[in-house]
Structures are given as C-alpha cells and as structure tokens.
Amino acid sequence: MAGQTPPRTITDVAVLRLLAHPLRRRIEQQLRTGPVNATSLAQVLGESTGLTSYHLRQLAKYGLIEEIPEMANGKERWWRAVPGDLRYPTYTEQSDEMRAATAEIARHNLAELIELYESFEQGAADIGPWADAFLFSRATIRVDLSLLREFFEEYIQLVQRYGATDEDAGDDRKAVLLRMFSFPEI
C-alpha cells in the first residue's frame, strides 16, 4: 500500500520491557482513542500527572509516540501514537531476556483481549447494528514456515488496506479491534 512505512522490528530489550510495563500498556490503550496530554491521561488512569508525563516521555524517547506541537498550549504537551507496523524478532532470534519480555507482552495482550471482549459482550445490546461486527473464525492450517510468514504479510496488508485514515475520522466508521496470533500445535 502506498505511503506505508516498512515494518519496524524491535530488537532492543529495553524497548520490549517498556512495552510490557502495565501502565505504559494502559497509556497505549488510551492513545488508540486519540491524542492525550499528561493531565487528561492522569485523570482517566487515576495516576499523577508527573507519573503519566514521565511515561509519555519514555514512550517518546523510543519513537513509539510523538508530540503534536500544533496542539501545545503553554507547558501543556499533547501526544499521539506513531503509526506503524511494530514487530518482534522471531523466537529463534531472541535472547532469553527478549523472550521473557515478549512473553509478558503476549500475556498482557491476551488478558486485554478477554477484558475487551467482556466489555463488548456487556454492551452489545446497546450498540445496535454494530453488535453484528463480532466476527469469529477459528481455523487450523497446515503450512511450512515460509507459507505462514506469507499468510501473515497478506493479513497485515489487509489490515492496512481496510484501516481508516485520519481523513476518514468523520464518517460512520468505528474502531474495530482485530487480533491475530498463531502458534503450532504441540
């Protein structure tokens, strides 16, 4: 897709640990809904402004979020997620420290998915036709590693193709959470 940045593979254990941190994960979740500043984030998360400001700066230090200068008002700094395709090295390319951090991230992702689904389930009756957006597929495919990687790249291309851009924000589109994970049966 034109205009898409190439995937960024995170090889720095410090960045992986940063992404595994529970508060930073909550910050990342808030950034999915739009720009934040330390004060608004602190109110939503029930944390101090100093703490949210620190974590925002840490995320920015590694290029995961960026400041929005045009929204700044005095000392108030606004932040947004940097769009992109973040990836981790394959399991066999990871050190033990990297594996521990990516496993922690995966556990948090699965726990978050359960929480998000339960929230959807509780509110589905109130969202009208959007309740039909719950699509479910469970499949097993027999592939070698190269075909699995090809499948994954095509999945990412589909996500990028159908994903809304900032220009689409005013129409009737809603954020729809997609999660894909795969692992071999053992």
Side-chain angles (χ1 to χ4, degrees):
M1 181 173 190
Q4 289 295 330
T5 59
R8 174 181 167 196
T9 302
I10 301 171
T11 58
D12 185 340
V13 175
V15 177
L16 292 171
R17 285 191 194 119
L18 177 106
L19 292 171
H21 189 280
L23 181 55
R24 291 182 187 132
R25 294 188 56 72
R26 292 173 53 212
I27 290 170
E28 186 245 345
Q29 199 172 16
Q30 287 301 309
L31 284 163
R32 287 184 213 150
T33 64
V36 300
N37 65 31
T39 304
S40 64
L41 196 56
Q43 290 171 346
V44 170
L45 300 179
E47 302 289 347
S48 74
T49 302
L51 187 61
T52 56
S53 179
Y54 168 78
H55 286 292
L56 287 166
R57 288 190 314 273
Q58 290 300 303
L59 290 164
K61 175 181 173 182
Y62 292 103
L64 301 168
I65 67 170
E66 63 188 4
E67 195 169 349
I68 311 170
E70 61 272 17
M71 289 183 71
N73 184 11
K75 289 184 176 183
E76 182 181 77
R77 298 166 76 182
W78 284 84
W79 304 90
R80 66 177 156 227
V82 173
D85 180 359
L86 294 179
R87 300 187 185 190
Y88 313 130
T90 61
Y91 183 86
T92 56
E93 296 172 327
Q94 294 178 20
S95 66
D96 288 342
E97 286 181 299
M98 292 174 89
R99 287 181 185 145
T102 57
E104 185 71 13
I105 292 168
R107 281 190 291 277
H108 286 298
N109 283 337
L110 289 172
E112 177 189 27
L113 179 59
I114 291 167
E115 187 178 299
L116 289 167
Y117 174 74
E118 287 172 346
S119 176
F120 164 77
E121 192 177 64
Q122 290 172 358
D126 301 326
I127 61 173
W130 274 104
D132 296 337
F134 176 69
L135 305 172
F136 179 78
S137 173
R138 191 173 103 175
T140 301
I141 56 176
R142 295 190 70 75
V143 294
D144 61 25
L145 281 174
S146 65
L147 283 175
L148 181 60
R149 287 187 181 109
E150 183 179 331
F151 175 86
F152 179 73
E153 293 303 329
E154 287 186 34
Y155 166 79
I156 295 298
Q157 288 176 5
L158 281 171
V159 170
Q160 292 171 346
R161 178 177 161 198
Y162 288 98
T165 63
D166 289 340
E167 294 83 40
D168 299 324
D171 64 17
D172 64 348
R173 296 181 187 196
K174 276 189 169 290
V176 175
L177 307 174
L178 301 175
R179 303 295 187 262
M180 189 228 148
F181 59 95
S182 65
F183 50 88
E185 186 175 47
I186 297 180

